[in-house]
Amino acid sequence: MALNLADHVRMHVILVPFPAQGHFAAFLSLAARLHSALPSAAITLVSTPRNVVALRASSSSSSAAAVEAPFLRFHALPFVPEEHGLPAGAESADAVHVRHFLELFQSTESPSLQAAFDAFLADVCADDAAADEEEGAPVVVVVVADPFQAWTTAAARRRGAGHAFFDSCGAFGSMVYHSLWNHLPHRRAPGGEQPAEAFCLLDHPEVTVHRSQLPAHLLLADGTDPWSAFHRRQIALGYDTDAVLINTVEELEPAGLRMLRRTLGVPVLPIGPLIRLPTQHTSHRDGDSDSIMRWLDAREKLKLSVLYISFGSQNSLRPEQMMELAAALELTGRPFVWAIRPPVGFGDDNDTGTFAFGSDKWLPEGFEERVRANGTGLLVRGWAPQLSILAHASTGAFLSHCGWNSVLESVAHGVPIIGWPLQGDQFFNCEMLEREWGACVEVARGNAEGSPAVERARLAEVLETVMGDTAKGAEMRRRVKEIRELIGSSTRKNGGASSAEALKKLFTSMLHGTDAAPAFEC
């Protein structure tokens, strides 16, 4: 849907994602959405050398996992991982072990990286200014950055460019994250008592958070530790942006958006959902994807409902949790596709975060052989074609970590979610979807040493409730279909859909400068 804006004005959008697979995928989808809305705009994605090589290949690839973006330009900023305490070649979160995450986060705001970006932005603004004089067509330069790259606000201000954040998470989860790091409410207790297991957010007392929903580094944070320092720097710098774009839909998260707007005090524009269409899942299958689709086709012919299991590209369970999940799957006998990764703690001597498969220490003895022989289970090692699986008619539920991309992909395909959140905003995505929509059931929580215990009987009970012929399961399927219809309406080309309206406000404001800021709704 191309927006009807002034033909004599040109725009150059510079995208600055955080180096992690989910963030890259969201920014590639954002680039496609921006190009569709304003085909005349130049769009450049900035990252480090290895990431640029991978992203350039992905944007021009015909694979099912790629987001095709031949219009997209790239610029690589100089970056030497070893100078920041990272292993050689480690330039993204999926390329390092979790023990190096703090160094990775800190490296993305290093003075050398900021200086290189500032020089690049200065050149872009100078080149565009020269083109303005030569062609008589004003060029508006806008930096759209990840909230973890909040230092870009200062660079944009120095060079006279516009600035917006793109938050690839949901509104409710983003609001809770902001409040937790800004105020550390879990450390407060009346009268010197021990901190409570549950507490309210200081700026949103209607929201209750449980300590079991907090990662270890947040539980240990005291405001002076390195993680607190990093997050609080991003929060403080973030208030200087012009707007926040967020990958959600107004009708999906009205309460979360209302709270986030009150928290940030800047325009918050829902431009989601940034996901591919269900009809795209059948093209460009590779060999592994094709075998998975044939397996699902066979279950569809038998009218069997399949459970899809995935905890994301960077998450896994503890060995004992995987044992209980596998046992629960055998108890139910329901067919499943499990995108499996080695458990937490295996391969800890590997700095790159890559692991060797083949160990049966974290699955019941003979488990894989039994489910393969009786046709009830398929274990997929490494990447799985998630969109294809969720779009398949036989898929009846998704056991998920509730990462926001996975949440949107599941509900957009009308698949109910069984939530097992593990970290970050995942706990609050799960909570929102269960409390406000009834399209999710939380079955377990966390994968740390102190996480609540999970038993196979509880897992099997929830699987049967959601996937079986129960009133609860029927209601969840009805509610998730409502969300699918809602998401579909938000992306229609006509009819004043909320996502299209948000993009129109964004471009109108940027093309007219700060004088158009009141066009945003806070």
Side-chain angles (χ1 to χ4, degrees):
M1 179 194 66
L3 300 178
N4 185 22
L5 298 174
D7 293 333
H8 67 285
V9 179
R10 295 185 296 125
M11 179 175 287
H12 191 161
V13 181
I14 299 172
L15 305 177
V16 190
F18 179 80
Q21 184 173 328
H23 294 246
F24 284 141
F27 268 80
L28 288 175
S29 294
L30 172 64
R33 179 68 60 88
L34 292 173
H35 178 69
S36 175
L38 198 64
S40 62
I43 304 175
T44 301
L45 191 148
V46 176
S47 190
T48 57
R50 281 180 176 265
N51 291 325
V52 163
V53 170
L55 290 166
R56 182 179 280 119
S58 176
S59 68
S60 60
S61 171
S62 62
S63 73
V67 176
E68 295 184 29
F71 58 86
L72 188 59
R73 308 174 186 179
F74 294 91
H75 179 77
L77 300 176
F79 184 78
V80 180
E82 297 92 327
E83 293 180 356
H84 306 281
L86 295 168
E91 298 183 15
S92 63
D94 54 306
V96 300
H97 192 276
V98 65
R99 72 161 70 95
H100 293 297
F101 272 16
L102 178 59
E103 290 86 351
L104 177 70
F105 275 72
Q106 292 172 331
S107 74
T108 65
E109 58 171 4
S110 65
S112 59
L113 207 62
Q114 292 192 41
F117 178 78
D118 186 68
F120 165 70
L121 183 59
D123 289 344
V124 168
C125 292
D127 291 345
D128 287 340
D132 181 359
E133 290 184 8
E134 183 178 334
E135 302 176 18
V139 181
V140 177
V141 179
V142 180
V143 176
V144 180
D146 192 285
F148 287 153
Q149 309 285 64
W151 52 265
T152 54
T153 56
R157 295 293 171 254
R158 277 194 301 273
R159 303 304 172 185
H163 188 280
F165 286 120
F166 171 53
D167 187 348
S168 58
C169 300
F172 182 68
S174 296
M175 178 279 298
V176 175
Y177 155 85
H178 186 283
S179 182
L180 287 173
W181 280 109
N182 214 22
H183 302 292
L184 301 179
H186 61 287
R187 296 186 61 84
R188 300 168 183 263
E193 299 174 3
Q194 287 294 319
E197 285 301 309
F199 53 90
C200 297
L201 297 181
L202 294 184
D203 43 357
H204 297 282
E206 69 273 29
V207 177
T208 300
V209 175
H210 294 262
R211 293 177 67 84
S212 60
Q213 294 175 301
L214 305 184
H217 64 288
L218 179 52
L219 282 171
L220 296 173
D222 61 6
T224 64
D225 60 283
W227 278 114
S228 292
F230 175 85
H231 287 295
R232 288 181 164 187
R233 279 195 299 272
Q234 312 315 309
I235 290 171
L237 291 166
Y239 293 122
D240 198 31
T241 191
D242 297 318
V244 173
L245 313 179
I246 189 162
N247 187 17
T248 191
V249 179
E250 188 78 44
E251 298 86 350
L252 177 64
E253 289 196 277
L257 282 164
R258 186 170 58 251
M259 288 186 279
L260 187 62
R261 286 168 177 145
R262 190 164 80 237
T263 293
L264 298 181
V266 299
V268 176
L269 307 176
I271 62 165
L274 296 179
I275 51 177
R276 287 170 286 171
L277 299 174
T279 54
Q280 291 176 305
H281 81 284
T282 55
S283 62
H284 309 303
R285 292 180 183 171
D286 57 29
D288 291 340
S289 297
D290 199 52
S291 65
I292 295 170
M293 293 302 107
R294 287 198 301 270
W295 193 91
L296 290 171
D297 290 342
R299 273 74 203 159
E300 183 184 5
K301 290 178 182 177
L302 296 173
K303 301 186 183 303
L304 296 174
S305 182
V306 176
L307 173 69
Y308 172 52
I309 307 167
S310 174
F311 296 99
S313 60
Q314 293 177 253
N315 299 293
S316 190
L317 304 178
R318 298 196 63 76
E320 62 271 20
Q321 292 175 323
M322 295 184 76
M323 282 282 191
E324 291 300 303
L325 175 55
L329 293 171
E330 291 201 277
L331 279 176
T332 66
R334 290 193 174 275
F336 64 89
V337 175
W338 187 350
I340 195 166
R341 286 173 54 84
V344 175
F346 277 69
D348 277 351
D349 57 341
N350 189 333
D351 277 343
T352 66
T354 58
F355 303 95
F357 288 99
S359 172
D360 59 358
K361 297 177 182 178
W362 31 276
L363 290 173
E365 185 176 355
F367 171 76
E368 185 170 6
E369 292 77 10
R370 288 193 299 274
V371 299
R372 185 190 301 123
N374 61 29
T376 59
L378 185 63
L379 272 61
V380 181
R381 290 168 167 78
W383 180 83
Q386 180 160 298
L387 281 167
S388 299
I389 295 169
L390 291 172
H392 199 279
S394 70
T395 302
F398 182 11
L399 175 54
S400 170
H401 65 311
C402 294
W404 189 244
N405 287 339
S406 291
V407 165
L408 288 180
E409 289 169 359
S410 190
V411 298
H413 290 84
V415 178
I417 297 174
I418 301 169
W420 191 331
L422 301 177
Q423 63 182 3
D425 64 317
Q426 298 163 12
F427 299 103
F428 312 109
N429 299 336
C430 181
E431 178 183 334
M432 182 278 295
L433 204 61
E434 181 169 10
R435 186 187 67 248
E436 297 185 19
W437 282 100
C440 175
V441 172
E442 183 178 309
V443 68
R445 177 180 294 177
N447 61 356
E449 287 285 357
S451 296
V454 59
E455 297 181 355
R456 63 192 67 181
R458 162 67 178 165
L459 290 167
E461 177 187 6
V462 173
L463 294 181
E464 284 299 314
T465 297
V466 175
M467 302 188 70
D469 186 18
T470 67
K472 174 70 173 178
E475 177 64 9
M476 288 181 67
R477 289 186 285 274
R478 184 185 71 80
R479 295 307 302 272
V480 80
K481 286 179 180 178
E482 288 182 12
I483 301 176
R484 182 177 62 183
E485 291 300 315
L486 180 152
I487 286 177
S489 68
S490 75
T491 55
R492 289 173 190 154
K493 294 185 178 181
N494 301 302
S498 63
S499 298
E501 286 300 309
L503 278 174
K504 186 173 182 179
K505 289 178 182 179
L506 165 70
F507 285 124
T508 300
S509 175
M510 290 180 173
L511 289 171
H512 290 85
T514 56
D515 291 340
F520 291 111
E521 293 180 0
C522 290

